[in-house]
Amino acid sequence: PSPLPFLPPPAMAAPPSYVPKSILITGAAGFIGSFTAIQLAREHPEYKIIVLDKLDYCSARENLDEAEKLCKNFKFIHGNILSRDLVSYILEEEEIDTVMNFAASTHVDNSFSSSIVFTENNVLGTHVLLECSRVYGKIRRFIHVSTDEVYGGESLADQPESATMEPTNPYACTKAAAELICKAYIRSFNIPIIISRGNNVYGPHQFPDKLIPKTVCLINANSPAFIHGDGSHTRNFLFVEDAATAFSTILHAGTIGEVYNIGSPIEKSNIDVVRDIIRLCDRAADEATLIEYVRDRSFNDQRYLVDAKKLHDLGWAPKFSWEDGLKECIAWYSDPKNLARWPRYSNGLVAHPSLVE
């Protein structure tokens, strides 16, 4: 019988401990990518780390200050992954053997009003990186960063990596499309790709148009935080330093051709997230005036549950508690010097952010 389409790609043998020499990290002036660059620089200052980032509204050069101090072979390149000529030049000039693709448009609200931009950055951008890697021919490992949202958000069970992708919003659809292109490059061209699918990540360096940093900033301004719908939608939250160690684990110990869920056991409803932040900001007495219920998204997944056993088997586990992570966030976003890296950060402090002016 003919093989079924889109079967999981066969896992390819890989060394038990991969050691990169020259890493291209795309989108590392953003949130999770910057912490991963810092983590790798801290663990392996001998690595060559090349960052390619176009410095979009949610990125900041300052996010990489620590990585640059830790790594003597660090270089930042201001540019776009959509430029095939630039990507090809970097691969050759810097003798890249490893790619970690964090570059993406990620805000679901923005994807409803600017879906074509998401397709350009997330699908075409990934395709350019893959094609340049194919032509270059010297990539030994390519980590593609995806999301738990590709599973859809209606299942009551933990989703294993073999679960069907059923994305429900434009952002998640672009990430699923990029994954399918990755799988084609594994099968057709033997590109050594590993895919990650992570839960919601929070922490410093995240542009404050996302729930947790936005809520902290609004409460600090004595303004109400926004709750979409009735606030019952839940997400599993992972502190960004735990996410960074997960990516280091996948890079060094993951198996080529595999998909790894990066999961957190901490599941919180949106309303409980906001209430916890209000409490930790010592504003519990003012809760009634610090919460504003607004219309829900065009479509809002109920929850995202993933099974992270495969990653746990590589030795990774999250270490930050929910309260410790929130306290780190509150302290960081309460310092005006940190917010100054985004001159227009207040544009994100609205109920439904949009890229459309």
Side-chain angles (χ1 to χ4, degrees):
S2 300
L4 295 173
F6 305 133
L7 289 173
M12 291 181 274
S17 182
Y18 175 70
V19 180
K21 294 181 179 178
S22 183
I23 309 173
L24 173 63
I25 310 181
T26 68
F31 173 40
I32 305 173
S34 65
F35 268 90
T36 301
I38 292 167
Q39 182 68 29
L40 293 175
R42 182 182 296 135
E43 292 176 350
H44 300 281
E46 73 279 9
Y47 287 177
K48 184 179 184 180
I49 296 177
I50 309 299
V51 169
L52 173 62
D53 199 296
K54 70 175 185 178
L55 294 179
D56 207 352
Y57 76 96
C58 53
S59 301
R61 185 68 178 80
E62 293 89 339
N63 287 344
L64 292 164
D65 286 348
E66 185 176 352
E68 192 162 12
K69 291 175 183 175
L70 291 168
C71 179
K72 65 180 181 180
N73 297 314
F74 178 94
K75 180 186 289 187
F76 175 81
I77 299 171
H78 185 193
N80 197 323
I81 62 170
L82 289 168
S83 173
R84 184 171 175 177
D85 288 344
L86 176 60
V87 172
S88 297
Y89 173 81
I90 294 170
L91 295 179
E92 290 282 359
E93 182 70 15
E94 303 296 343
E95 300 181 322
I96 300 296
D97 63 7
T98 304
V99 176
M100 302 184 77
N101 181 29
F102 289 89
S105 297
T106 63
H107 201 299
V108 173
D109 275 325
N110 288 340
S111 78
F112 287 116
S113 59
S114 304
S115 59
I116 293 176
V117 172
F118 277 65
T119 299
E120 290 173 345
N121 291 334
N122 298 352
V123 184
L124 183 56
T126 299
H127 199 166
V128 169
L129 288 172
L130 290 168
E131 180 61 11
C132 291
S133 296
R134 180 191 71 80
V135 173
Y136 172 60
K138 301 174 187 175
I139 295 300
R140 297 191 295 137
R141 190 155 294 202
F142 188 116
I143 310 299
H144 176 68
V145 180
S146 191
T147 172
D148 59 0
E149 296 199 31
V150 299
Y151 294 119
E154 304 308 309
S155 175
L156 299 179
D158 290 1
Q159 297 294 294
E161 290 86 350
S162 59
T164 302
M165 291 193 291
E166 296 184 1
T168 60
N169 61 66
Y171 159 63
C173 287
T174 63
K175 297 301 283 186
E179 282 200 36
L180 291 178
I181 297 172
C182 285
K183 291 180 180 183
Y185 270 73
I186 294 172
R187 287 180 174 273
S188 298
F189 306 117
N190 292 318
I191 303 300
I193 301 168
I194 302 173
I195 296 170
S196 72
R197 297 174 182 157
N199 279 152
N200 274 37
V201 179
Y202 71 103
H205 296 187
Q206 185 175 39
F207 187 76
D209 59 354
K210 300 291 181 72
L211 176 63
I212 290 176
K214 179 193 296 185
T215 297
V216 174
C217 290
L218 287 170
I219 290 171
N220 284 341
N222 206 34
S223 298
F226 302 112
I227 294 293
H228 291 173
D230 63 4
S232 65
H233 306 91
T234 68
R235 298 292 184 264
N236 289 63
F237 289 93
L238 182 70
F239 190 65
V240 66
E241 290 190 30
D242 284 328
T245 60
F247 282 109
S248 177
T249 300
I250 291 169
L251 171 64
H252 293 104
T255 298
I256 292 168
E258 290 284 1
V259 179
Y260 291 93
N261 287 333
I262 304 176
S264 166
I266 301 167
E267 183 177 14
K268 292 281 183 178
S269 67
N270 289 347
I271 185 62
D272 284 341
V273 170
V274 172
R275 285 172 175 161
D276 285 346
I277 294 172
I278 291 172
R279 174 177 55 82
L280 291 173
C281 287
D282 295 323
R283 298 295 301 278
D286 304 317
E287 181 180 299
T289 62
L290 289 175
I291 294 176
E292 179 181 344
Y293 291 88
V294 299
R295 66 173 172 83
D296 209 346
R297 290 171 170 170
S298 300
F299 186 86
N300 202 341
D301 288 326
Q302 184 60 39
R303 65 198 311 213
Y304 300 114
L305 298 173
V306 300
D307 180 355
K309 181 181 183 302
K310 191 189 295 186
L311 183 55
H312 293 162
D313 288 345
L314 297 182
W316 176 85
K319 293 182 169 52
F320 277 80
S321 70
W322 171 241
E323 291 222 351
D324 286 346
L326 276 189
K327 288 175 182 176
E328 291 267 351
C329 279
I330 291 167
W332 198 87
Y333 287 96
S334 296
D335 185 342
K337 294 194 296 293
N338 291 328
L339 293 171
R341 68 192 60 198
W342 302 294
R344 301 175 65 189
Y345 82 89
S346 60
N347 289 358
L349 304 181
V350 295
H352 294 280
S354 171
L355 296 178
V356 178
E357 293 292 341

